[in-house]
Amino acid sequence: MTGNKRCLALHGRKKEPPKRHGAALLRPGIIRTDSEQDRQVGYMFIPSTNVRTQFTCKAGPPRVSWRLLFFGTDQFAVESLKLLNLCSGILNVHPSLLPRWRGPAPVFHTVMHGDTVTGVTVIQIRPDKFDVGPILNQEIHQVPKNCTAEDLGAALATKGAHLLLDTLMKLPEKIANKREQEPKGVTFAPKINRSMSWINWEEQTCDQIACLCRAIGSRIPLRTMWMGETIKLLDFVGKCYTSDERNQKPGSVYYDKDSNTLAVCCKDGWVAFRTVLLNKRLTAADFHNGYLNQTVKKNTSSKPAEGQFVSRKGRTEELQTNTWRGQKKQ
């Protein structure tokens, strides 16, 4: 459920669903797209007649009241919808409290922006647009402190499954009491990409860097520039404290022997990393001995940029976007 869509297509007879689903077959399938981020597992619920499986609760006459298609990713959704003759509409299980974080990566942006509260929303999909339809069901979820996008996504997946079942069991009631999304509070969650991993030492705080790491760090390492080369920052420790009177300029980096970390100055303090990737993986001590210490010895007051991590010039800001699937930002 992390960073992707979950939808249900409902068609067939318009009647209240039975309390038991009988002998429906559950067939998993892999959906492959160009991006590994979009590789998700879809499940097709196919109504069957007089078929006994391990999921059958009780043998009885065949009953077919609806058909469900459960799928992931927008690309797969569009192609699937072309083949369906829909009567009862489509339900989307979205891992955020809509209208906040409309888009394909709501969990990542929830963590990245330090939200303390999120949730799951079940909505009806409107033609040609996602995440703007009326809300049928919604449940709040408190974001645990220091949780990662993976942890949050797993928790919301479980909550979303229960919320979906509740919605289906009370579908006529939920549809009758649906409500439109509020026009205020709309935010967008575009797909994560490598441009988001660049750290801007002058603008980002310790907390913002920590949130960024917990949001995308396991997929895309945080990056900065060192002596004209890209260096990846690994094994984030968090905010650190120093009484050192050395250069307090954002991007300043030094080796802390006591914690065996690299401390880097940002907008409002210092953050630490245990490992970096520069041509090869290096511990903080390795980087200090092989690169940092040598650079500091050569450094003069006429070359203040040496011995520092530098924010990449022209860094593309993509935490927000003005458009997503043709929707104008409000």
Side-chain angles (χ1 to χ4, degrees):
M1 198 163 174
T2 302
N4 56 70
K5 315 309 301 169
R6 287 289 183 268
C7 304
L8 284 168
L10 309 182
H11 67 119
R13 306 176 194 172
K14 293 183 179 179
K15 62 181 290 186
E16 185 174 357
K19 294 183 178 180
R20 291 178 178 175
H21 301 294
L25 297 180
L26 178 61
R27 297 180 181 176
I30 298 297
I31 302 163
R32 300 183 184 274
T33 66
D34 293 335
S35 170
E36 181 63 22
Q37 181 180 333
D38 292 333
R39 184 177 182 274
Q40 305 297 337
V41 178
Y43 295 91
M44 181 79 75
F45 290 82
I46 306 174
S48 59
T49 57
N50 200 26
V51 178
R52 297 184 181 182
T53 70
Q54 59 180 329
F55 304 104
T56 304
C57 298
K58 181 179 180 180
R63 294 182 299 176
V64 179
S65 56
W66 74 69
R67 296 177 181 178
L68 304 179
L69 178 66
F70 185 46
F71 52 82
T73 78
D74 295 339
Q75 293 86 348
F76 183 71
V78 171
E79 295 303 317
S80 299
L81 295 180
K82 293 178 181 178
L83 304 177
L84 296 178
N85 180 19
L86 304 175
C87 298
S88 302
I90 310 165
L91 301 185
N92 177 28
V93 182
H94 190 83
S96 79
L97 292 177
L98 291 172
R100 184 164 178 80
W101 301 133
R102 292 174 178 173
V107 176
F108 291 109
H109 286 270
T110 296
V111 175
M112 189 184 302
H113 289 79
D115 291 3
T116 58
V117 176
T118 185
V120 180
T121 308
V122 177
I123 64 170
Q124 282 186 317
I125 289 182
R126 285 180 171 161
D128 303 322
K129 292 184 179 181
F130 285 98
D131 305 337
V132 299
I135 296 173
L136 272 64
N137 213 344
Q138 195 171 59
E139 187 172 344
I140 293 175
H141 180 82
Q142 298 293 326
V143 180
K145 186 177 180 180
N146 297 325
C147 80
T148 64
E150 288 73 16
D151 294 336
L152 181 60
L156 292 180
T158 300
K159 181 159 288 189
H162 290 289
L163 192 68
L164 174 60
L165 289 177
D166 178 71
T167 303
L168 292 176
M169 298 305 295
K170 306 173 184 176
L171 191 57
E173 175 188 345
K174 295 297 182 181
I175 292 178
N177 296 306
K178 64 186 179 183
R179 58 185 174 87
E180 296 296 328
Q181 295 186 32
E182 294 291 335
K184 296 182 179 179
V186 175
T187 57
F188 295 89
K191 286 184 178 181
I192 62 171
N193 57 69
R194 292 182 180 179
S195 68
M196 296 178 177
S197 66
W198 290 103
I199 297 179
N200 190 318
W201 304 108
E202 291 79 13
E203 296 182 5
Q204 291 177 292
T205 65
C206 296
D207 289 340
Q208 288 174 334
I209 294 173
C211 287
L212 180 63
C213 184
R214 288 187 283 103
I216 69 173
S218 64
R219 294 175 177 235
I220 308 174
L222 303 189
R223 296 183 292 172
T224 189
M225 299 297 295
W226 165 262
M227 303 296 290
E229 295 187 55
T230 298
I231 183 171
K232 297 180 180 179
L233 307 173
L234 311 175
D235 300 328
F236 180 71
V237 175
K239 187 174 184 178
C240 61
Y241 301 91
T242 177
S243 59
D244 201 299
E245 297 298 328
R246 68 184 74 218
N247 190 0
Q248 300 288 321
K249 182 179 179 180
S252 298
V253 55
Y254 79 93
Y255 172 63
D256 184 73
K257 189 175 181 180
D258 292 337
S259 61
N260 192 26
T261 61
L262 291 174
V264 191
C265 184
C266 59
K267 183 178 180 179
D268 66 344
W270 296 78
V271 291
F273 300 85
R274 295 191 186 280
T275 315
V276 298
L277 189 63
L278 182 62
N279 299 321
K280 63 179 181 179
R281 193 180 184 96
L282 301 168
T283 65
D286 292 337
F287 181 76
H288 171 258
N289 295 330
Y291 295 89
L292 184 60
N293 194 37
Q294 300 301 320
T295 304
V296 171
K297 289 180 179 179
K298 297 178 182 179
N299 191 26
T300 64
S301 58
S302 62
K303 297 181 180 181
E306 293 188 0
Q308 294 183 345
F309 288 156
V310 180
S311 303
R312 195 183 74 165
K313 293 182 179 179
R315 173 178 177 267
T316 303
E317 298 288 352
E318 295 193 27
L319 299 183
Q320 294 290 341
T321 183
N322 290 330
T323 59
W324 182 74
R325 288 197 173 275
Q327 302 176 43
K328 292 183 179 180
K329 187 176 180 180
Q330 301 181 13

PDB file of all heavy atoms in Angstrom, residues 21 34 42 65 73 77 85 93-94 103 129 141 143 157 185 204 216 239 293 307 315 325:
ATOM      1  N   HIS A  21     -18.812 -14.666   1.633  1.00  0.00           N
ATOM      2  CA  HIS A  21     -18.434 -14.517   0.238  1.00  0.00           C
ATOM      3  C   HIS A  21     -18.399 -15.844  -0.499  1.00  0.00           C
ATOM      4  O   HIS A  21     -18.063 -15.884  -1.677  1.00  0.00           O
ATOM      5  CB  HIS A  21     -17.062 -13.846   0.148  1.00  0.00           C
ATOM      6  CG  HIS A  21     -17.041 -12.503   0.787  1.00  0.00           C
ATOM      7  ND1 HIS A  21     -17.773 -11.455   0.287  1.00  0.00           N
ATOM      8  CD2 HIS A  21     -16.416 -12.048   1.894  1.00  0.00           C
ATOM      9  CE1 HIS A  21     -17.585 -10.394   1.046  1.00  0.00           C
ATOM     10  NE2 HIS A  21     -16.773 -10.715   2.026  1.00  0.00           N
ATOM     11  N   ASP A  34       7.646  -0.220 -15.779  1.00  0.00           N
ATOM     12  CA  ASP A  34       9.020   0.175 -16.040  1.00  0.00           C
ATOM     13  C   ASP A  34       9.782   0.491 -14.765  1.00  0.00           C
ATOM     14  O   ASP A  34      11.000   0.442 -14.721  1.00  0.00           O
ATOM     15  CB  ASP A  34       9.054   1.407 -16.955  1.00  0.00           C
ATOM     16  CG  ASP A  34       8.526   1.081 -18.341  1.00  0.00           C
ATOM     17  OD1 ASP A  34       8.597  -0.104 -18.718  1.00  0.00           O
ATOM     18  OD2 ASP A  34       8.046   1.998 -19.029  1.00  0.00           O
ATOM     19  N   GLY A  42      -1.297  -7.681  -7.479  1.00  0.00           N
ATOM     20  CA  GLY A  42      -2.726  -7.461  -7.612  1.00  0.00           C
ATOM     21  C   GLY A  42      -3.471  -8.750  -7.328  1.00  0.00           C
ATOM     22  O   GLY A  42      -2.936  -9.849  -7.493  1.00  0.00           O
ATOM     23  N   SER A  65     -23.249 -11.946  -6.443  1.00  0.00           N
ATOM     24  CA  SER A  65     -23.852 -10.648  -6.213  1.00  0.00           C
ATOM     25  C   SER A  65     -22.998  -9.507  -6.766  1.00  0.00           C
ATOM     26  O   SER A  65     -23.525  -8.467  -7.113  1.00  0.00           O
ATOM     27  CB  SER A  65     -24.083 -10.426  -4.721  1.00  0.00           C
ATOM     28  OG  SER A  65     -22.865 -10.570  -4.020  1.00  0.00           O
ATOM     29  N   THR A  73      -1.260   0.281  -8.813  1.00  0.00           N
ATOM     30  CA  THR A  73      -0.617   1.216  -9.747  1.00  0.00           C
ATOM     31  C   THR A  73      -1.603   1.849 -10.708  1.00  0.00           C
ATOM     32  O   THR A  73      -2.548   1.224 -11.183  1.00  0.00           O
ATOM     33  CB  THR A  73       0.533   0.586 -10.573  1.00  0.00           C
ATOM     34  OG1 THR A  73      -0.016  -0.188 -11.619  1.00  0.00           O
ATOM     35  CG2 THR A  73       1.438  -0.246  -9.722  1.00  0.00           C
ATOM     36  N   ALA A  77      -4.351   0.378 -13.487  1.00  0.00           N
ATOM     37  CA  ALA A  77      -5.742   0.759 -13.256  1.00  0.00           C
ATOM     38  C   ALA A  77      -6.385   1.251 -14.547  1.00  0.00           C
ATOM     39  O   ALA A  77      -7.493   0.854 -14.904  1.00  0.00           O
ATOM     40  CB  ALA A  77      -5.816   1.844 -12.176  1.00  0.00           C
ATOM     41  N   ASN A  85     -17.169  -3.074 -17.699  1.00  0.00           N
ATOM     42  CA  ASN A  85     -18.447  -2.411 -17.880  1.00  0.00           C
ATOM     43  C   ASN A  85     -19.010  -2.153 -16.492  1.00  0.00           C
ATOM     44  O   ASN A  85     -19.629  -3.018 -15.878  1.00  0.00           O
ATOM     45  CB  ASN A  85     -19.390  -3.289 -18.699  1.00  0.00           C
ATOM     46  CG  ASN A  85     -20.740  -2.627 -18.911  1.00  0.00           C
ATOM     47  OD1 ASN A  85     -20.870  -1.416 -18.773  1.00  0.00           O
ATOM     48  ND2 ASN A  85     -21.736  -3.436 -19.247  1.00  0.00           N
ATOM     49  N   VAL A  93      -8.974   2.580  -2.109  1.00  0.00           N
ATOM     50  CA  VAL A  93      -8.474   2.611  -0.734  1.00  0.00           C
ATOM     51  C   VAL A  93      -7.180   3.408  -0.744  1.00  0.00           C
ATOM     52  O   VAL A  93      -6.172   2.950  -1.275  1.00  0.00           O
ATOM     53  CB  VAL A  93      -8.234   1.192  -0.187  1.00  0.00           C
ATOM     54  CG1 VAL A  93      -7.761   1.252   1.253  1.00  0.00           C
ATOM     55  CG2 VAL A  93      -9.505   0.366  -0.287  1.00  0.00           C
ATOM     56  N   HIS A  94      -7.199   4.578  -0.167  1.00  0.00           N
ATOM     57  CA  HIS A  94      -6.071   5.513  -0.256  1.00  0.00           C
ATOM     58  C   HIS A  94      -5.434   5.703   1.123  1.00  0.00           C
ATOM     59  O   HIS A  94      -6.125   6.020   2.095  1.00  0.00           O
ATOM     60  CB  HIS A  94      -6.559   6.864  -0.784  1.00  0.00           C
ATOM     61  CG  HIS A  94      -5.460   7.809  -1.128  1.00  0.00           C
ATOM     62  ND1 HIS A  94      -4.792   7.767  -2.335  1.00  0.00           N
ATOM     63  CD2 HIS A  94      -4.907   8.819  -0.420  1.00  0.00           C
ATOM     64  CE1 HIS A  94      -3.879   8.718  -2.366  1.00  0.00           C
ATOM     65  NE2 HIS A  94      -3.919   9.373  -1.211  1.00  0.00           N
ATOM     66  N   GLY A 103      -2.447  11.609  -4.690  1.00  0.00           N
ATOM     67  CA  GLY A 103      -1.343  11.247  -5.570  1.00  0.00           C
ATOM     68  C   GLY A 103      -0.825   9.847  -5.309  1.00  0.00           C
ATOM     69  O   GLY A 103      -1.330   9.134  -4.448  1.00  0.00           O
ATOM     70  N   LYS A 129     -10.066  10.969 -13.193  1.00  0.00           N
ATOM     71  CA  LYS A 129      -9.296  11.547 -12.094  1.00  0.00           C
ATOM     72  C   LYS A 129      -9.268  10.582 -10.917  1.00  0.00           C
ATOM     73  O   LYS A 129     -10.242   9.888 -10.648  1.00  0.00           O
ATOM     74  CB  LYS A 129      -9.884  12.885 -11.653  1.00  0.00           C
ATOM     75  CG  LYS A 129      -9.746  14.001 -12.671  1.00  0.00           C
ATOM     76  CD  LYS A 129     -10.270  15.310 -12.109  1.00  0.00           C
ATOM     77  CE  LYS A 129     -10.126  16.448 -13.110  1.00  0.00           C
ATOM     78  NZ  LYS A 129     -10.623  17.730 -12.564  1.00  0.00           N
ATOM     79  N   HIS A 141      -5.150   7.524  11.857  1.00  0.00           N
ATOM     80  CA  HIS A 141      -4.042   6.723  12.360  1.00  0.00           C
ATOM     81  C   HIS A 141      -2.945   7.653  12.857  1.00  0.00           C
ATOM     82  O   HIS A 141      -2.494   8.538  12.131  1.00  0.00           O
ATOM     83  CB  HIS A 141      -3.481   5.821  11.247  1.00  0.00           C
ATOM     84  CG  HIS A 141      -2.335   4.953  11.683  1.00  0.00           C
ATOM     85  ND1 HIS A 141      -2.524   3.752  12.347  1.00  0.00           N
ATOM     86  CD2 HIS A 141      -0.985   5.109  11.557  1.00  0.00           C
ATOM     87  CE1 HIS A 141      -1.340   3.208  12.600  1.00  0.00           C
ATOM     88  NE2 HIS A 141      -0.399   4.010  12.131  1.00  0.00           N
ATOM     89  N   VAL A 143       0.716   8.665  13.624  1.00  0.00           N
ATOM     90  CA  VAL A 143       2.016   8.286  13.071  1.00  0.00           C
ATOM     91  C   VAL A 143       3.008   8.113  14.221  1.00  0.00           C
ATOM     92  O   VAL A 143       3.288   9.066  14.952  1.00  0.00           O
ATOM     93  CB  VAL A 143       2.543   9.356  12.102  1.00  0.00           C
ATOM     94  CG1 VAL A 143       3.902   8.945  11.535  1.00  0.00           C
ATOM     95  CG2 VAL A 143       1.547   9.583  10.967  1.00  0.00           C
ATOM     96  N   ALA A 157      -1.708  -0.519   5.537  1.00  0.00           N
ATOM     97  CA  ALA A 157      -2.234  -1.603   4.715  1.00  0.00           C
ATOM     98  C   ALA A 157      -3.196  -2.473   5.516  1.00  0.00           C
ATOM     99  O   ALA A 157      -4.271  -2.856   5.041  1.00  0.00           O
ATOM    100  CB  ALA A 157      -1.083  -2.445   4.170  1.00  0.00           C
ATOM    101  N   GLY A 185      -7.189  22.363   2.280  1.00  0.00           N
ATOM    102  CA  GLY A 185      -6.284  21.341   2.790  1.00  0.00           C
ATOM    103  C   GLY A 185      -5.807  20.347   1.766  1.00  0.00           C
ATOM    104  O   GLY A 185      -5.295  19.278   2.115  1.00  0.00           O
ATOM    105  N   GLN A 204      17.707  23.103   4.878  1.00  0.00           N
ATOM    106  CA  GLN A 204      17.041  22.027   5.605  1.00  0.00           C
ATOM    107  C   GLN A 204      17.530  21.923   7.047  1.00  0.00           C
ATOM    108  O   GLN A 204      18.734  22.031   7.324  1.00  0.00           O
ATOM    109  CB  GLN A 204      17.245  20.695   4.879  1.00  0.00           C
ATOM    110  CG  GLN A 204      16.490  20.618   3.553  1.00  0.00           C
ATOM    111  CD  GLN A 204      16.750  19.334   2.814  1.00  0.00           C
ATOM    112  OE1 GLN A 204      17.855  19.093   2.343  1.00  0.00           O
ATOM    113  NE2 GLN A 204      15.728  18.492   2.707  1.00  0.00           N
ATOM    114  N   ILE A 216      12.610   8.142   2.394  1.00  0.00           N
ATOM    115  CA  ILE A 216      13.127   7.563   1.148  1.00  0.00           C
ATOM    116  C   ILE A 216      14.491   6.905   1.300  1.00  0.00           C
ATOM    117  O   ILE A 216      14.980   6.285   0.352  1.00  0.00           O
ATOM    118  CB  ILE A 216      13.214   8.633   0.042  1.00  0.00           C
ATOM    119  CG1 ILE A 216      14.316   9.660   0.371  1.00  0.00           C
ATOM    120  CG2 ILE A 216      11.879   9.320  -0.161  1.00  0.00           C
ATOM    121  CD1 ILE A 216      14.573  10.652  -0.742  1.00  0.00           C
ATOM    122  N   LYS A 239      20.260  13.663  14.833  1.00  0.00           N
ATOM    123  CA  LYS A 239      20.808  14.930  15.300  1.00  0.00           C
ATOM    124  C   LYS A 239      21.903  14.675  16.325  1.00  0.00           C
ATOM    125  O   LYS A 239      21.790  13.793  17.176  1.00  0.00           O
ATOM    126  CB  LYS A 239      19.697  15.776  15.917  1.00  0.00           C
ATOM    127  CG  LYS A 239      20.121  17.196  16.278  1.00  0.00           C
ATOM    128  CD  LYS A 239      18.917  18.011  16.734  1.00  0.00           C
ATOM    129  CE  LYS A 239      19.321  19.462  17.006  1.00  0.00           C
ATOM    130  NZ  LYS A 239      18.146  20.281  17.418  1.00  0.00           N
ATOM    131  N   ASN A 293      40.710  14.363   6.241  1.00  0.00           N
ATOM    132  CA  ASN A 293      41.916  14.823   6.926  1.00  0.00           C
ATOM    133  C   ASN A 293      42.917  15.412   5.947  1.00  0.00           C
ATOM    134  O   ASN A 293      43.573  16.426   6.232  1.00  0.00           O
ATOM    135  CB  ASN A 293      42.554  13.663   7.700  1.00  0.00           C
ATOM    136  CG  ASN A 293      43.593  14.132   8.688  1.00  0.00           C
ATOM    137  OD1 ASN A 293      43.435  15.176   9.319  1.00  0.00           O
ATOM    138  ND2 ASN A 293      44.676  13.370   8.830  1.00  0.00           N
ATOM    139  N   GLY A 307      36.801  20.830   2.153  1.00  0.00           N
ATOM    140  CA  GLY A 307      36.528  20.215   3.443  1.00  0.00           C
ATOM    141  C   GLY A 307      35.082  20.347   3.853  1.00  0.00           C
ATOM    142  O   GLY A 307      34.764  20.202   5.023  1.00  0.00           O
ATOM    143  N   ARG A 315      19.450  22.420  -7.681  1.00  0.00           N
ATOM    144  CA  ARG A 315      18.712  21.257  -7.178  1.00  0.00           C
ATOM    145  C   ARG A 315      17.235  21.389  -7.480  1.00  0.00           C
ATOM    146  O   ARG A 315      16.622  22.418  -7.247  1.00  0.00           O
ATOM    147  CB  ARG A 315      18.922  21.149  -5.668  1.00  0.00           C
ATOM    148  CG  ARG A 315      18.072  20.059  -4.986  1.00  0.00           C
ATOM    149  CD  ARG A 315      18.412  20.042  -3.497  1.00  0.00           C
ATOM    150  NE  ARG A 315      17.594  19.093  -2.790  1.00  0.00           N
ATOM    151  CZ  ARG A 315      16.440  19.405  -2.192  1.00  0.00           C
ATOM    152  NH1 ARG A 315      15.988  20.627  -2.268  1.00  0.00           N
ATOM    153  NH2 ARG A 315      15.754  18.491  -1.531  1.00  0.00           N
ATOM    154  N   ARG A 325      -1.958  14.425 -12.808  1.00  0.00           N
ATOM    155  CA  ARG A 325      -3.060  13.885 -13.619  1.00  0.00           C
ATOM    156  C   ARG A 325      -4.047  14.955 -14.023  1.00  0.00           C
ATOM    157  O   ARG A 325      -5.272  14.805 -13.955  1.00  0.00           O
ATOM    158  CB  ARG A 325      -3.788  12.758 -12.877  1.00  0.00           C
ATOM    159  CG  ARG A 325      -2.957  11.495 -12.802  1.00  0.00           C
ATOM    160  CD  ARG A 325      -3.832  10.298 -12.454  1.00  0.00           C
ATOM    161  NE  ARG A 325      -3.061   9.091 -12.558  1.00  0.00           N
ATOM    162  CZ  ARG A 325      -2.874   8.429 -13.688  1.00  0.00           C
ATOM    163  NH1 ARG A 325      -3.396   8.864 -14.800  1.00  0.00           N
ATOM    164  NH2 ARG A 325      -2.150   7.329 -13.693  1.00  0.00           N
TER     165      ARG A 325
END
